[in-house]
Amino acid sequence: MNGPFDERLRKVEADGLFRRLRLLDSAQGPTARLDGAEVILFSSNDYLGLCAHPKVTAAAVECVQRYGWGAGAARLLAGSMAPHMELERQMAQFLGKEAALLFNTGYAVNTGVLAAMMGRGDLIFADKLAHASIIDGARQSGAKLVRFAHNDPDSLEKLLAKAPARGRRLVVTEGVFSMDGDIPPLKRIADIARRHGAMLMVDDAHGFGLFGPQGRGTIHMAGIADEVDIHVVTLGKAMGGFGGVVAASRRFIDGLINFCRPFIYSTAIPPAAPAAALAALNIIRGQEGDKLRGKLFKNADMAVSLLREAGLAVDSKTQIVPVVVGESKEASRLAAKLLEGGVYAPAIRPPTVPRGTARLRLSITSGHTEADIKKLGTLLA
Ligand SMILES: Cc1ncc(COP(=O)(O)O)c(C=O)c1O
């Protein structure tokens, strides 16, 4: 008898879409040891190099020594440890919301929050390129999922205008799109959501720590923070750690504590994660954060200029620079060629991105040197 995956595996193999894991035997830095070779890494979301920052790792170690490694149980069951509570207090304050709640991942925030707050008869309007966790949460919720054209407020407005008047409405988008590196017209989206009686949720996984004053995120940069009802960030990217946070009104967070299944029924994230996140937050909102962001965006600008000089049609105003190739096999071939030259930039293929838009997703960090970026440009040219 065939195994449950055999047929699908044969298909992804034939289509050049088979995925396998690579051994990473070092910290996630601008350079790393991948499959036994020293490479320059253009794949990590540790945009500010905080994953191995001495202050961040020291906070994690200290916390393990004081609180132990595990959280023991779910927070409603075993008690809620001080690092979790303190991170939530500081994140709420930093993001300008009444309250915040820490989850085990950003994925769990999106699926859990959407499934808890929306239900049958409700409508969720999500950008066509929204992250898998948003789509999965919308599906779990039982609400009708409506997709508007990518970063297109007119498309959103048309769909809202013709939607039935009953049920709750929620518009969901991202602050920086994870595979395209573009920022939506947040102000227009917020205006449209308000005009049509919809709540607004923004997943700023790739914008938090980088954009807006002190790295508060794209919704602060766009001046719409007060219009966003639900602000989602992850600790796994610019924060260099692990976990997800949702910031909203006190009443909304109380609702999640009472009704959100991934929060209620899962062992809490180890306390070292919020302890390390508190140290990372301190860096992000301070002068060192400003410096790291300055370096990051200088690097990102340099990468875009060099790739354009090399004849590639790239365009990005963020740290995520996609080089769209088209066919999956061609993207994989190009990624393999780069790796031979000592540069790792992952090929991103369907279903992560739409068919025919396979790409190399370059993730620029503050730690890359000019020489690293020049090497990337030369190899791609
Ligand atoms: C836009 C977006 N939202 C949510 C997530 C999930 O966050 P986490 O990695 O913390 O689960 C990701 C990460 O891949 C993402 O890119």
Side-chain angles (χ1 to χ4, degrees):
M1 200 169 82
N2 272 349
F5 297 118
D6 290 347
E7 206 173 303
R8 279 182 281 167
L9 281 173
R10 275 195 292 273
K11 176 141 177 48
V12 289
E13 277 158 356
D15 293 347
L17 296 173
F18 186 78
R19 304 172 195 237
R20 74 170 184 90
L21 295 171
R22 294 179 187 280
L23 173 68
L24 183 71
D25 192 19
S26 66
Q28 294 267 348
T31 56
R33 240 189 124 60
L34 191 74
D35 282 344
E38 216 43 60
V39 295
I40 306 169
L41 214 56
F42 284 100
S43 57
S44 173
N45 297 325
D46 178 27
Y47 301 123
L48 299 177
L50 298 186
C51 142
H53 190 291
K55 283 188 187 154
V56 177
T57 51
V61 170
E62 250 171 58
C63 180
V64 169
Q65 282 162 349
R66 177 159 178 204
Y67 289 93
W69 165 240
R75 285 165 69 189
L76 283 167
L77 204 64
S80 187
M81 287 169 136
H84 300 72
M85 306 288 267
E86 181 57 17
L87 180 68
E88 287 166 349
R89 192 186 68 75
Q90 291 198 27
M91 285 293 284
Q93 194 181 45
F94 187 56
L95 296 174
K97 294 281 180 227
E98 285 174 6
L101 195 65
L102 173 64
F103 281 65
N104 292 4
T105 61
Y107 185 94
V109 175
N110 282 339
T111 51
V113 167
L114 287 169
M117 71 179 282
M118 302 300 277
R120 216 169 275 282
D122 294 336
L123 288 161
I124 298 175
F125 299 83
D127 186 285
K128 188 91 185 144
L129 297 186
H131 190 258
S133 53
I134 294 170
I135 303 310
D136 293 355
R139 286 187 183 141
Q140 281 175 32
S141 75
K144 184 168 159 47
L145 173 61
V146 183
R147 314 290 294 272
F148 60 93
H150 178 54
N151 283 350
D152 184 346
D154 295 333
S155 158
L156 171 63
E157 177 136 47
K158 270 190 212 136
L159 291 165
L160 276 161
K162 71 173 192 203
R166 65 195 134 71
R168 261 192 307 269
R169 300 162 160 218
L170 174 72
V171 171
V172 193
T173 190
E174 294 178 24
V176 175
F177 278 83
S178 58
M179 296 299 143
D180 293 78
D182 49 358
I183 297 177
L186 288 167
K187 179 82 185 106
R188 279 200 66 205
I189 289 174
D191 288 346
I192 289 167
R194 186 157 27 95
R195 238 182 305 120
H196 290 271
M199 290 177 288
L200 178 59
M201 170 167 166
V202 178
D203 172 359
D204 209 11
H206 297 271
F208 175 73
L210 307 181
F211 296 93
Q214 293 176 290
R216 284 188 168 89
T218 53
I219 66 169
H220 286 266
M221 180 171 74
I224 58 149
D226 290 343
E227 292 164 60
V228 174
D229 302 283
I230 305 146
H231 188 182
V232 177
V233 304
T234 167
L235 309 181
K237 311 208 189 276
M239 292 279 265
F242 188 67
V245 170
V246 53
S249 69
R250 178 71 257 169
R251 196 77 181 144
F252 188 87
I253 297 297
D254 284 343
L256 294 179
I257 293 171
N258 280 273
F259 305 116
C260 183
R261 296 171 72 85
F263 179 81
I264 299 169
Y265 296 110
S266 195
T267 300
I269 189 167
L278 280 161
L281 182 60
N282 248 339
I283 295 168
I284 277 179
R285 64 188 166 200
Q287 281 178 358
E288 191 177 349
D290 287 334
K291 244 198 238 155
L292 290 169
R293 282 183 284 276
K295 179 88 194 307
L296 172 68
F297 291 119
K298 195 165 147 250
N299 280 348
D301 285 347
M302 194 198 312
V304 169
S305 309
L306 283 173
L307 296 180
R308 280 192 185 150
E309 276 167 32
L312 293 158
V314 293
D315 185 23
S316 175
K317 295 192 169 42
T318 70
Q319 74 287 4
I320 299 168
V321 183
V323 180
V324 177
V325 176
E327 288 312 310
S328 297
K329 282 183 182 160
E330 185 54 15
S332 302
R333 193 188 66 80
L334 213 59
K337 270 276 185 229
L338 284 184
L339 197 53
E340 277 172 27
V343 165
Y344 180 60
I348 309 289
R349 301 162 297 176
T352 307
V353 291
R355 204 156 273 286
T357 71
R359 66 198 65 187
L360 299 181
R361 176 191 185 264
L362 306 174
S363 182
I364 312 295
T365 71
S366 59
H368 284 121
T369 63
E370 194 170 332
D372 294 338
I373 296 169
K374 281 192 170 147
K375 181 159 183 187
L376 169 75
T378 309
L379 280 173
L380 272 175

